[in-house]
Amino acid sequence: MTTLKVKEMLDAYPSALGGVDREKLTACIEECVSCGQVCTACADACLSEEMVDELATCIRSDLDCADVCGATARVLSRHTGSDVGVTRAMLTACAAACRACGEECAHHTQHDHCRVCAAACRSCEDACEALLAALG
């Protein structure tokens, strides 16, 4: 989802978002979607490397992170009757998955796809932590 579409959907929401910082929410949803895509692509790229057996942990971490990021983006996109405890848990899990994946990919920066993925993971982790802090 592009910035405009995430913001447009949040602005179109028919009731209040419960005092959530819309800019941080928008940024976090965008980062989660982007990171999920990058992690999926990185896992696939790792599978194309000659030393694929040495990248098994990286591939698993990429796929875990992609799944957690996707789930987090979906939970953050729903507001009717949302549970702030669940939201916090998802953001915490997403930040942890991004941290782990980013650290793993940082071990393989000789591959451009791992370098790009490590940066995407750091950015998503930061966005999750920023939104968590804004939730109080």
Side-chain angles (χ1 to χ4, degrees):
M1 237 187 276
T2 64
T3 301
L4 178 60
K5 290 182 182 176
V6 172
K7 182 181 181 328
E8 188 176 357
M9 283 303 296
L10 291 175
D11 288 346
Y13 197 73
S15 61
L17 296 178
V20 174
D21 182 315
R22 284 177 183 254
E23 286 183 27
K24 287 185 172 120
L25 178 61
T26 299
C28 194
I29 293 169
E30 290 170 349
E31 290 293 339
C32 286
V33 170
S34 176
C35 190
Q37 185 278 322
V38 168
C39 287
T40 298
C42 186
D44 186 64
C46 286
L47 289 169
S48 296
E49 294 291 347
E50 288 181 21
M51 54 191 262
V52 69
D53 55 320
E54 295 175 28
L55 296 169
T57 301
C58 190
I59 294 165
R60 190 174 307 106
S61 183
D62 284 336
L63 295 175
D64 287 349
C65 192
D67 286 346
V68 173
C69 286
T72 301
R74 288 187 298 277
V75 167
L76 292 177
S77 296
R78 296 189 292 262
H79 304 284
T80 304
S82 65
D83 182 333
V84 73
V86 170
T87 300
R88 282 189 183 104
M90 291 299 294
L91 289 167
T92 300
C94 192
C98 288
R99 186 176 316 108
C101 187
E103 288 173 1
E104 180 59 32
C105 279
H107 293 284
H108 308 285
T109 55
Q110 71 271 24
H111 306 294
D112 285 340
H113 54 85
C114 285
R115 181 187 47 74
V116 169
C117 191
C121 288
R122 281 190 297 275
S123 185
C124 189
E125 178 185 2
D126 290 346
C128 287
E129 290 176 351
L131 184 54
L132 262 172
L135 293 176

